[in-house]
């Protein structure tokens, strides 16, 4: 081999060895409600085939790590490039505005605008910080088999929380169950029914004002239901602070008649209950002000400390395109945050008949969400409202404090957290 | 055959000598530099050189965090990095200690802190007392010549080897509403009890589980203490017709006091720091019935949406100060009680 050819071969070999080292690594901290991270991983393999210069590493972590560890990692400068998160407000300082790297920012604003606003810091902010990967909605799910056994008719559309409480109580008594209903232990879960009873959560000037008549009314009902056994108080009382606890296992085991949770439970409902008993999504019971639950949803957000902002934006843009986004929704069984796909029903879900009906129930519930619920969900420090709500209502249910003391403490906790956040 | 028989021994001697030489050479290597260092460093300063690596590790991983903790306690805001945090002086301590009535946490500015304080004090008083009593009784029994003594010693020590989270999960399965205990009670025709939702029961079980998990360790210390007591003292007492109770009170207890003090101090420190098992078992509930001080620190500093690191740091310093005070009082009491 001539000397020149040998040199060329050597150089080519060197380049090939160096190739993987030149690839941009994107590390993602991902939590799953159902199968989101495995689905993301599978589809990312296709992305990497099409973009060999990008290497995607997905770390599947528990939700608690997203809430507790990720903020510390980001503050310490050791965060991932992308994270799947829900509590947007406190992480907002770390978000990367991807607008300069996106081919068509207008498309993002048109299709994901409503949820992109949750990632922004006020109305003036027009940045695009992440890809909303689901729209969630809280709603009631009932065990229809128990209603049939008890020979109690399901309350119809427009029935109030009082109507539902009376009905599930009848069913529980007839079927010898200890409780009629269970709500996830979460201030977010409580907020929807409170808004239905007139809670506004904000003053007209936009500052938080949690304790109003609507909030008090719903809290009073909730406490009364916990005391008379209509609601399973164990779910709320068996923990302290703002800690989350769901009541899925109680519902799965046929121990409660009505479970108040949300659309993110769909996969578990289908996979873990299946046809064990008849269940259905009945939307949100009404109050005098609305028949609303709370919206929500996780987003893949980009973090500004990434060394590969262009690759990060390219990756999320790849998933944002209608066909791929529809596939992701289909795989994960989530309601799309993409307005166009949600409106035209493009997403084809491979669901059982009960699952399909449940999905329709959740979509219908999403259409009835009140503007106050969207406003609260978009508030930067909404978790500073949700956590004290769960903590203090639990203490009142446990009998440690009165409801009035709980209201005073919630107001103080919210004010205190906001004052701490404002201290520079 | 005879020469062949001796050959391996000669080879062995040779190898041993070679190894001895190698050992001497290696161990002799630092001799020169050490002599030089000794010549240059007078007094006991060479000792510092030996402890320097340990001091460095201690300084970086223990002393420095304490200094940083002080800084966090004197600063406010939700920022993580020390340089970003505004100085607030003693505000965090003031906030923690602001109470209309210290016996009523609802009257305090930081009610959760005071629930933690009172729950911790109650827990320490009951758990440490019961732990010492049960550990001592178990050690006394295991010190006797009983059938299957080895098995029992291992069985009592086994829970110590388990992770606190595993311990808590095992007991959660037993105690939850549809757990094994209630299933057994209902199977026997009784009514189940909501063990972890009733405040008094939850507190009781937090103590029980903690004792179950840690008793083996303290039993082992006391057992070692018992075995160190010379048997002839008991023989002499028996010859003097001393009753078993008198032998226990006049011989065993005084001679076991050093071990009991170790168990008391270690048990108390562990009890004040109680967190992991109880957090997994009850989550601090029902309400705040099993919220202990360390959980307050954790929740305030790490689990809240807006993290109040300053308050958490101030709480941890107050906890450390209380622990230090307790330990000093115990040591003083021990010195006074010493013959």
């Amino acid at each position: 081999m001539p000397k020149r050819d040998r040199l060329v071969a050597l150089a080519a070999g060197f380049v090939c060895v160096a190739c993987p080292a030149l690839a941009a690594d994107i590390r993602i901290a991902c939590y799953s409600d159902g199968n989101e991270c495995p689905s993301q991983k599978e589809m990312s393999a296709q992305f990497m085939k099409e973009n060999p210069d990008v290497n995607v590493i997905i770390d599947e972590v528990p939700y608690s790590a997203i809430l507790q560890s990720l903020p510390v990692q980001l503050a310490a400068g050791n965060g991932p490039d992308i994270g799947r998160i829900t509590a947007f407000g406190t992480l907002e300082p770390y978000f990367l505005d991807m607008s300069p790297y996106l081919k068509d920012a207008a498309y993002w604003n048109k299709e994901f605008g409503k949820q992109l606003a949750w990632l922004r810091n006020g109305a003036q902010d027009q940045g695009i910080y992440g890809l909303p990967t689901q729209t969630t909605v809280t709603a009631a799910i009932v065990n229809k088999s128990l209603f049939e056994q008890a020979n109690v008719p399901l309350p119809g559309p427009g029935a109030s929380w009082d109507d539902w409480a009376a009905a599930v109580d009848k069913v529980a008594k007839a079927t010898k169950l200890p409780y009629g209903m269970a709500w996830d232990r979460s201030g977010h879960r409580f907020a929807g029914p409170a808004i239905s009873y007139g809670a506004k959560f904000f003053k007209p000037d936009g500052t938080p004002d949690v304790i109003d008549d609507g909030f008090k009314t719903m809290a009073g009902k909730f406490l009364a239901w916990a005391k008379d056994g209509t609601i399973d108080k164990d779910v709320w009382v068996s923990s302290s602070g703002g800690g989350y606890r769901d009541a899925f296992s109680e519902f799965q085991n046929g121990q409660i008649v009505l479970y108040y949770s949300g659309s993110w439970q769909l996969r578990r409902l289908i996979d873990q209950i299946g046809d064990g008993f008849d269940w259905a999504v009945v939307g949100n019971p009404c109050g005098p002000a609305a028949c609303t639950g709370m919206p929500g949803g996780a987003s893949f957000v980009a973090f500004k400390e990434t060394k590969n902002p262009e690759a990060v934006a390219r990756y999320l843009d790849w998933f944002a395109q209608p066909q791929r986004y529809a596939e992701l929704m289909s795989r994960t069984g989530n309601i799309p945050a993409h307005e166009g796909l949600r409106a035209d029903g493009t997403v084809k879900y491979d669901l059982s008949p009960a699952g399909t009906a449940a999905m329709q129930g959740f979509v219908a519930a999403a259409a009835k969400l009140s503007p106050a619920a969207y406003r609260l969900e978009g508030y930067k420090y909404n978790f500073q409202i949700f956590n004290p709500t769960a903590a203090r209502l639990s203490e009142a249910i446990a009998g440690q404090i009165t409801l009035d003391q709980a209201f005073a403490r919630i107001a103080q906790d919210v004010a205190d957290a906001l004052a701490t956040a404002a201290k520079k | 055959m005879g020469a062949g028989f001796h050959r391996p021994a000669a080879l062995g001697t040779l190898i041993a000598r070679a190894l001895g030489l190698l050992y001497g050479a290696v161990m002799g290597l630092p001799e020169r530099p050490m002599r030089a260092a000794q010549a240059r460093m007078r007094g006991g300063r060479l000792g510092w050189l030996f402890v320097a690596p340990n001091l460095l590790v201690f300084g970086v991983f223990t002393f420095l965090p304490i200094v940083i903790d002080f800084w966090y306690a004197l600063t406010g805001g939700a920022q993580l990095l020390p340089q970003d945090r505004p100085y607030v002086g003693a505000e965090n301590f003031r906030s923690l200690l602001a109470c209309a009535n210290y016996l009523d946490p609802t009257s305090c500015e930081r009610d959760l802190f005071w629930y933690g304080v009172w729950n911790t004090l109650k827990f320490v008083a009951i758990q440490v007392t019961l732990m010492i009593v049960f550990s001592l009784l178990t050690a006394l029994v295991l010190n006797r010549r009983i059938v299957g003594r080895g098995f029992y010693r291992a069985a009592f020590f086994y829970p110590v080897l388990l992770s606190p989270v595993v311990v808590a999960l095992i007991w959660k399965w037993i105690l939850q509403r549809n757990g094994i205990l209630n299933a057994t009670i209902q199977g026997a025709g009784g009514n189940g009890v909501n063990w972890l939702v009733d405040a008094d029961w939850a507190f009781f079980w937090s103590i029980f589980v903690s004792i179950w998990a840690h008793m083996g360790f303290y039993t082992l210390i006391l057992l070692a203490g018992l075995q160190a007591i010379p048997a002839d003292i008991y023989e002499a007492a028996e010859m003097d017709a001393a009753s078993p109770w008198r032998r226990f009170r006049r011989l065993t207890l005084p001679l076991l006091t050093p071990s009991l003090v170790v168990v008391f101090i270690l048990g108390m420190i562990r009890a004040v720091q109680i967190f992991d098992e109880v957090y997994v078992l009850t989550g601090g509930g029902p309400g705040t019935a099993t919220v202990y001080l360390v959980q307050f620190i954790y929740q305030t500093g790490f689990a809240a949406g807006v993290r109040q690191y300053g308050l958490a740091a101030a709480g941890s310093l107050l906890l450390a100060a209380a622990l230090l005070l307790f330990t000093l009082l115990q040591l003083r009491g021990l010195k006074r009680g010493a013959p």
Side-chain angles (χ1 to χ4, degrees), chain A residues 275-292:
Chain A
D275 54 5
F277 56 79
D278 289 339
W279 52 275
V281 174
V282 294
N284 280 288
C286 298
C291 309
T292 188

Short mmCIF file of all heavy atoms in Angstrom, two decimals, chain A residues 275-292:
data_model
loop_
_atom_site.label_atom_id
_atom_site.label_comp_id
_atom_site.label_asym_id
_atom_site.label_seq_id
_atom_site.Cartn_x
_atom_site.Cartn_y
_atom_site.Cartn_z
N ASP A 275 -61.43 -6.44 32.84
CA ASP A 275 -62.86 -6.76 32.97
C ASP A 275 -63.14 -7.41 34.33
O ASP A 275 -64.08 -8.19 34.49
CB ASP A 275 -63.34 -7.63 31.81
CG ASP A 275 -62.48 -8.88 31.65
OD1 ASP A 275 -61.59 -9.09 32.51
OD2 ASP A 275 -62.71 -9.65 30.70
N GLY A 276 -62.31 -7.09 35.32
CA GLY A 276 -62.53 -7.59 36.69
C GLY A 276 -63.89 -7.14 37.22
O GLY A 276 -64.56 -7.87 37.94
N PHE A 277 -64.28 -5.95 36.90
CA PHE A 277 -65.64 -5.45 37.15
C PHE A 277 -65.89 -4.33 36.15
O PHE A 277 -64.98 -3.86 35.48
CB PHE A 277 -65.81 -4.99 38.61
CG PHE A 277 -64.84 -3.93 39.08
CD1 PHE A 277 -65.01 -2.59 38.76
CD2 PHE A 277 -63.74 -4.28 39.88
CE1 PHE A 277 -64.11 -1.62 39.20
CE2 PHE A 277 -62.84 -3.32 40.33
CZ PHE A 277 -63.03 -1.99 39.99
N ASP A 278 -67.17 -3.93 36.05
CA ASP A 278 -67.51 -2.85 35.11
C ASP A 278 -67.19 -1.51 35.75
O ASP A 278 -67.64 -1.24 36.88
CB ASP A 278 -69.01 -2.89 34.77
CG ASP A 278 -69.33 -4.09 33.89
OD1 ASP A 278 -68.39 -4.62 33.25
OD2 ASP A 278 -70.50 -4.51 33.88
N TRP A 279 -66.43 -0.73 35.06
CA TRP A 279 -66.10 0.60 35.57
C TRP A 279 -66.32 1.63 34.46
O TRP A 279 -66.32 1.28 33.28
CB TRP A 279 -64.66 0.65 36.08
CG TRP A 279 -63.63 0.16 35.10
CD1 TRP A 279 -63.25 -1.13 34.91
CD2 TRP A 279 -62.90 0.93 34.15
NE1 TRP A 279 -62.31 -1.23 33.92
CE2 TRP A 279 -62.07 0.04 33.44
CE3 TRP A 279 -62.85 2.28 33.84
CZ2 TRP A 279 -61.21 0.46 32.42
CZ3 TRP A 279 -61.99 2.71 32.84
CH2 TRP A 279 -61.19 1.80 32.14
N ALA A 280 -66.49 2.88 34.87
CA ALA A 280 -66.74 3.93 33.87
C ALA A 280 -66.28 5.28 34.39
O ALA A 280 -66.28 5.53 35.60
CB ALA A 280 -68.22 3.99 33.55
N VAL A 281 -65.88 6.12 33.43
CA VAL A 281 -65.51 7.50 33.78
C VAL A 281 -66.78 8.34 33.68
O VAL A 281 -67.43 8.34 32.63
CB VAL A 281 -64.43 8.03 32.82
CG1 VAL A 281 -64.15 9.50 33.08
CG2 VAL A 281 -63.16 7.21 32.97
N VAL A 282 -67.15 9.01 34.78
CA VAL A 282 -68.41 9.77 34.76
C VAL A 282 -68.17 11.28 34.78
O VAL A 282 -69.10 12.05 35.04
CB VAL A 282 -69.32 9.35 35.93
CG1 VAL A 282 -69.77 7.92 35.77
CG2 VAL A 282 -68.63 9.55 37.27
N GLY A 283 -66.98 11.70 34.51
CA GLY A 283 -66.69 13.14 34.47
C GLY A 283 -66.66 13.77 35.85
O GLY A 283 -66.40 13.08 36.84
N ASN A 284 -66.95 15.06 35.88
CA ASN A 284 -66.88 15.78 37.15
C ASN A 284 -68.27 16.14 37.65
O ASN A 284 -69.02 16.84 36.95
CB ASN A 284 -66.05 17.05 36.99
CG ASN A 284 -64.57 16.74 37.02
OD1 ASN A 284 -64.02 16.43 38.08
ND2 ASN A 284 -63.93 16.76 35.87
N PRO A 285 -68.63 15.68 38.85
CA PRO A 285 -69.90 16.12 39.43
C PRO A 285 -69.94 17.65 39.54
O PRO A 285 -68.89 18.30 39.54
CB PRO A 285 -69.89 15.47 40.82
CG PRO A 285 -69.01 14.28 40.67
CD PRO A 285 -67.95 14.70 39.71
N CYS A 286 -71.13 18.17 39.65
CA CYS A 286 -71.28 19.64 39.58
C CYS A 286 -71.41 20.28 40.96
O CYS A 286 -71.71 19.61 41.94
CB CYS A 286 -72.52 19.97 38.79
SG CYS A 286 -72.46 19.39 37.09
N GLY A 287 -71.18 21.56 40.97
CA GLY A 287 -71.49 22.41 42.10
C GLY A 287 -72.28 23.57 41.54
O GLY A 287 -72.55 23.60 40.33
N PRO A 288 -72.62 24.56 42.35
CA PRO A 288 -73.39 25.68 41.82
C PRO A 288 -72.63 26.51 40.79
O PRO A 288 -73.25 27.17 39.94
CB PRO A 288 -73.70 26.52 43.06
CG PRO A 288 -72.88 25.96 44.16
CD PRO A 288 -72.43 24.61 43.79
N ALA A 289 -71.29 26.47 40.82
CA ALA A 289 -70.53 27.35 39.92
C ALA A 289 -70.05 26.65 38.65
O ALA A 289 -69.85 27.30 37.61
CB ALA A 289 -69.32 27.93 40.66
N ALA A 290 -69.83 25.36 38.70
CA ALA A 290 -69.28 24.66 37.53
C ALA A 290 -69.36 23.15 37.74
O ALA A 290 -69.79 22.68 38.81
CB ALA A 290 -67.83 25.07 37.32
N CYS A 291 -68.98 22.44 36.68
CA CYS A 291 -68.85 20.97 36.79
C CYS A 291 -67.42 20.65 36.35
O CYS A 291 -67.20 20.01 35.33
CB CYS A 291 -69.82 20.25 35.87
SG CYS A 291 -71.51 20.81 36.03
N THR A 292 -66.50 21.17 37.08
CA THR A 292 -65.11 21.11 36.60
C THR A 292 -64.20 20.26 37.49
O THR A 292 -64.44 20.09 38.69
CB THR A 292 -64.52 22.53 36.48
OG1 THR A 292 -63.25 22.46 35.83
CG2 THR A 292 -64.32 23.17 37.85
#
